[in-house]
Amino acid sequence: MSSADGTGEQLAFIRETVRRAKPRAARGVVLAERRPVARVLVDKGVLSLDQYFDYAVPEAMSEDAQPGVRVRVRFGGRVGAHGRREGGALHDGFVVERRDDSDYAGPLAPLARVLSPERVLTPKLLRLCRAVADRYAGTLADVLQLAVPPRHAGAEGEPSPRPLPPPSAPAPGSWERYAHGPGFLASLAGGHAPRAVWTALPGPEWPAEIARAVAATLAGGRGALVVLPDGRAVARVDAALRALLGEGRHAVLAAEAGPQERYRRWLSVSRGSVHAAVGTRAAVFAPVRDLGLVVVWSDGDSSHGDPNAPYPHVREVALLRAAEEGAAVLLGGVSMTVEAAQLLRSGWARPLAATRETVRQVAPRVRTVTEHDQARDGAARAARLPSVAWETAREALTRGPVLVQVPRRGYAPRLACGRCRETARCRACGGPLESPAADSALVCAWCGTEERDWHCAECGSFRLRASVVGVRRTAEELGKAFPSVPVRTSGRDAVLATVPGTPALVLATPGAEPVAEGPGYAAALLLDGWALLNRPDLRAGEETVRRWLTAAALVRPAGEGGTVVVVAEAAARPVQALVRWDPAGHAGVELDEREELRFPPVSRMASVTGSPRAVADLLGLLRLPAGADVLGPVPVAAFGAGGAREDGAERALVRVAPGQGAALAAALKAAQIARLALRGAETVRIRVDPTDIG
C-alpha cells in the first residue's frame, strides 16, 4: 500500500472518529444517557436555513424530548471560550429525530425547553410537508406553519375520548344515480384505493354522497379526509355525516371554531379518537390515521389556493398525500377543472359521472339571451334586464325564490362608453372609472381622481353605461321593478348560508350563493356574463363555467319548472357548456388548447414577481433544465394600501416540460438562496404552478 493511500485512510478514519465522537454540550449541562442529540427543525422559514440543526438533550428533558414534540431552542449567537452559548434568540422548533451522535464536532447548545410532550409532528406529516416544500420551492418551516395549528395548553391537558368501532357499510343511496357509484363505495368499504374524478349532479344531494363515501371508508377500517372551499360547504357535509353516522366519528376543522376549539379537534384526530376530518384548506394536512380516502370538493375554487408562502394548492397536496399513504382520491364538483381532466386523460383517475339521460332529468332548463336584448316594458328597462330574464323572474316569483348572480359587489364598479363600449378610463393615470353612488362624480379606481367632464377617447361620445353593475346597484333597480318582492343580498360583507323557500329576489356574487330551503330556487339569472368571460386570465372560461354551474345547480330541475337565464353571447364555449350541462366536455377542450400552447397543467410553470432588478438578478442566477424557456419579464400592476396603483413591478414566467417540475422548483430555490446571499433581501415572490396567469 502506498504512502498516499495510507494517508487517505488515516484521514477518513479521523473524520469518522470525530463524527462519531460522543457529543459535547455547553459546560454545566448533563447530557441524556441515551440518544443525547436532538435533531431540530427550527421555525425560522429562511430559505438558506432550510435544514435541521443538532442540539444537546439535557438528562432532565430526555423523557419528554421525543421526535414530534415542540421545543424552544436558542438560535444564532456564538459559543464562547468556556463552551457556553452567548447571544442568540429563542425560537420554536420541532424535534424530528433523536441520535447518538452529531455531524457537528463542536459543543452543542442544549434544548432550552420542551414546550409540550404531545407528539404533533408525525413521521407521515413530516414527509408530506417536506414534499410540499420541495414541490413549491419553499421551506419546510413555512409549510409546517400551515400544517400544524398553534398550541393551546388547555386543550392538550384534556383527554380525548376513546374511538368508536367502525360503522357498517352504508347503502349506495343516491350514488346509484352514477354508473359506477355503488362500485366505488364497495371498493372503499373493501379497503381498496380507487381514484375518481366525480362530476356531481345538480341538486342538494352531494353532501350526503360525500358522507356515504366517508362512511364506506370507515367501514373498511381506514380514515377519511374531506376538504371543502368554505365554511358553508363544511357545515353541509358536517350535517350529512351526523345524520348518517351520528356523533363522535368525525371532527370539523374550520377557522370558525376558534383557535382553542380547533386545536382540541385537531388533537382528537392526531390521537386517533376520530378517524375522519372535515374542514377547509388547512385540513388537507390533518393527521388522520391510516388514511384511506381524500375528498376535495370543487377543486377549482380559488379558496383552495393558500395565500401564504409557499402558496400550495389543496388539490396538489391531496394528490401528494394520497400517493404517499396509499389512499383513495375523490375530486368532486358540479364542474371540472383542466387538472382533473388531465388526470382522467392520463388514466390516473377514472370518471364518476351520470348518464346524459339522468343529467337531463335533474338539471334546470337553460336559456340564453344577449345583453343587447332590450326589455319590452318599463319595469324591465328600469332593472336593466333583457325581457326574457325579466319575464322569467316574474313568473318564477309566483312559485319560489329567484337567484340573481352579479359578477361584482358594490354599486357600479366599472363604466364604459354607451356607444362603442370602450372602458371609461381616467385621463390622469389610465385607470378604470367607477360610480360610487347614484349622484356622485366619476372616480378613478386606481388614483382616486374625480372625472367631471368625461368623453370617450375612441368615438367622442359623452354617454356612459354600467359595464358591470354591482350587487347593491342591481338590488336597487330590481327593488323598483318588483316593488312587492323582498330583496336579499349575499356577498363578501355578509354571506348568507340559506334563504327561505318563499318568493324573494336573492342577489349574490359568485361563490356567495345561499342554498334555498325546500326544492331550491325557481329560477336563476346570471347577469353580465361577458364580464366573466372577458377577464384577461388563462382560466377565464373554466372559472366562468364553474361559477355558472355552481349557481345553476341550486335551481330546481326543468321538470319542476326550474329555469336558468344566462346573459352572454350564446355562441361562446362556456355558454354552450352550461346549456348542455357538459363540464367534462368543456374541460377536455380547454385541455386540448393548453397542450397546443404548452401551458399548465400540460407543462410546469412558475411566476417570479418583484422589482425589475430583483427579477433580473434571480433569472441571472437560475440554472434551468434543458428545454426550459422564460416568458418576459413584463410590467404588472401592483396595488398598495387603499388600492393605490404602484408601478414598477415585473413578472416573468418560467416554463419547463412535464416531468421537470421538481428540477424547476429546486433551481428556483437555489437561485433564491444565492440571490439573498449575494444581493441582499429584496423580496421576490415565487409561485409554482400559479392558478391565475393573466
Side-chain angles (χ1 to χ4, degrees):
M1 181 180 294
S2 69
S3 171
D5 291 338
T7 302
E9 286 186 1
Q10 279 189 327
L11 289 174
F13 174 77
I14 292 171
R15 282 195 297 268
E16 184 67 13
T17 302
V18 170
R19 192 186 73 80
R20 294 179 177 274
K22 185 176 181 180
R24 295 181 291 135
R27 185 174 299 178
V29 177
V30 179
L31 285 173
E33 288 189 11
R34 297 184 66 255
R35 296 182 178 175
V37 176
R39 187 147 284 179
V40 176
L41 171 66
V42 182
D43 188 9
K44 285 186 68 68
V46 180
L47 274 173
S48 57
L49 300 178
D50 190 23
Q51 57 185 302
Y52 302 141
F53 296 89
D54 289 348
Y55 285 83
V57 181
E59 178 61 36
M61 302 182 191
S62 182
E63 184 175 348
D64 290 339
Q66 298 301 316
V69 306
R70 306 177 202 251
V71 293
R72 293 276 278 174
V73 296
R74 194 168 293 281
F75 191 84
R78 64 186 184 87
V79 179
H82 301 290
R84 295 183 182 277
R85 176 69 62 176
E86 298 174 354
L90 287 171
H91 290 274
D92 291 343
F94 296 90
V95 176
V96 297
E97 185 184 2
R98 286 283 296 272
R99 298 168 59 93
D100 292 322
D101 49 47
S102 172
D103 295 334
Y104 180 63
L108 299 177
L111 299 175
R113 181 185 173 193
V114 177
L115 293 175
S116 166
E118 189 82 38
R119 300 191 185 191
V120 294
L121 183 59
T122 63
K124 286 184 179 180
L125 182 56
L126 177 61
R127 289 196 297 272
L128 174 65
C129 292
R130 180 74 269 171
V132 172
D134 291 343
R135 189 192 189 286
Y136 287 96
T139 69
L140 181 56
D142 280 342
V143 178
L144 283 175
Q145 286 188 343
L146 307 177
V148 182
R151 176 177 178 257
H152 282 268
E156 283 187 349
E158 300 175 7
S160 297
R162 295 178 61 85
L164 297 174
S168 301
S174 57
W175 276 109
E176 291 183 341
R177 303 182 301 167
Y178 302 90
H180 302 290
F184 181 76
L185 293 189
S187 182
L188 293 174
H192 304 295
R195 300 188 294 259
V197 172
W198 171 35
T199 307
L201 290 167
E205 289 85 4
W206 66 264
E209 289 161 357
I210 289 178
R212 289 183 183 275
V214 171
T217 306
L218 297 180
R222 302 191 71 183
L225 174 62
V226 182
V227 189
L228 303 115
D230 55 54
R232 293 176 301 140
V234 170
R236 295 180 68 183
V237 174
D238 175 38
L241 282 168
R242 293 177 189 275
L244 182 64
L245 297 175
E247 300 286 344
R249 294 192 184 276
H250 73 282
V252 175
L253 306 178
E256 291 80 358
Q260 183 168 351
E261 178 60 26
R262 187 178 187 279
Y263 187 53
R264 181 182 292 110
R265 297 175 185 178
W266 189 90
L267 286 174
S268 69
V269 176
S270 177
R271 294 169 177 174
S273 295
V274 295
H275 290 90
V278 180
T280 48
R281 187 171 57 225
V284 73
F285 294 100
V288 176
R289 294 193 178 182
D290 194 15
L291 186 65
L293 172 67
V294 181
V295 181
V296 179
W297 174 257
S298 191
D299 64 295
D301 194 294
S302 61
S303 298
H304 284 310
D306 204 299
N308 301 301
Y311 317 107
H313 193 282
V314 163
R315 177 187 55 246
E316 306 308 319
V317 177
L319 297 183
L320 285 172
R321 185 168 185 183
E324 170 69 26
E325 301 189 40
V329 175
L330 182 61
L331 291 182
V334 293
S335 186
M336 183 183 294
T337 60
V338 177
E339 285 79 7
Q342 186 190 41
L343 293 176
L344 292 177
R345 185 170 294 183
S346 68
W348 189 90
R350 296 281 187 168
L352 197 53
T355 63
R356 293 301 304 169
E357 181 181 357
T358 302
V359 172
R360 284 192 291 269
Q361 290 174 354
V362 298
R365 178 192 180 195
V366 179
R367 301 182 65 183
T368 63
V369 293
T370 70
E371 61 173 4
H372 303 293
D373 294 335
Q374 298 297 319
R376 291 192 295 265
D377 53 65
R381 284 195 298 273
R384 296 186 184 176
L385 290 177
S387 59
V388 172
W390 189 87
E391 290 166 1
T392 299
R394 183 180 60 179
E395 189 279 328
L397 284 169
T398 64
R399 298 180 285 110
V402 172
L403 175 64
V404 182
Q405 186 192 72
V406 184
R408 296 293 297 268
R409 64 187 182 90
Y411 199 77
R414 295 293 182 266
L415 298 169
C417 174
R419 179 189 297 170
C420 69
R421 302 190 183 184
E422 180 71 17
T423 300
R425 295 195 175 276
C426 172
R427 285 184 290 182
C429 73
L433 296 176
E434 63 183 17
S435 176
D439 56 352
S440 68
L442 304 182
V443 176
C444 176
W446 289 354
C447 68
T449 301
E450 288 191 358
E451 179 63 74
R452 296 187 176 275
D453 188 26
W454 176 88
H455 66 274
C456 180
E458 294 295 321
C459 69
S461 173
F462 289 85
R463 187 163 57 91
L464 281 166
R465 66 189 297 274
S467 61
V468 184
V469 179
V471 169
R472 285 194 295 123
R473 175 68 176 271
T474 306
E476 248 181 48
E477 295 172 343
L478 289 177
K480 295 175 184 177
F482 300 96
S484 61
V485 178
V487 178
R488 299 182 174 90
T489 61
S490 179
R492 189 174 69 176
D493 296 332
V495 178
L496 303 176
T498 60
V499 293
T502 54
L505 287 166
V506 182
L507 280 73
T509 52
E513 301 90 353
V515 176
E517 297 173 353
Y521 289 101
L525 310 180
L526 310 179
L527 303 184
D528 295 327
W530 68 270
L532 296 176
L533 292 171
N534 292 346
R535 290 182 304 121
D537 189 273
L538 181 67
R539 295 180 182 269
E542 175 188 331
E543 179 65 4
T544 300
V545 171
R546 187 188 68 81
R547 291 179 176 186
W548 283 347
L549 288 175
T550 299
L554 302 174
V555 180
R556 303 169 189 176
E560 299 175 19
T563 303
V564 175
V565 177
V566 55
V567 182
E569 179 57 49
R573 186 194 305 159
V575 177
Q576 289 301 307
L578 174 64
V579 171
R580 297 192 304 270
W581 208 278
D582 185 22
H586 183 270
V589 175
E590 288 276 309
L591 181 58
D592 291 338
E593 290 190 351
R594 303 280 182 88
E595 288 180 343
E596 292 180 8
L597 297 172
R598 294 177 55 223
F599 273 108
V602 178
S603 66
R604 296 291 301 278
M605 182 175 284
S607 66
V608 178
T609 308
S611 71
R613 176 180 176 181
V615 171
D617 281 346
L618 189 137
L619 294 178
L621 295 168
L622 198 56
R623 298 295 177 262
L624 292 171
D629 56 343
V630 178
L631 310 179
V634 297
V636 292
F639 297 90
R645 183 182 175 94
E646 296 178 352
D647 293 317
E650 288 188 347
R651 184 193 67 187
L653 297 176
V654 185
R655 180 172 59 187
V656 297
Q660 295 183 327
L664 172 62
L668 287 167
K669 187 172 181 178
Q672 183 79 307
I673 292 172
R675 190 186 67 84
L676 293 174
L678 297 173
R679 311 286 205 278
E682 188 178 357
T683 301
V684 171
R685 187 186 189 200
I686 295 175
R687 297 178 63 197
V688 175
D689 291 338
T691 56
D692 51 341
I693 304 176

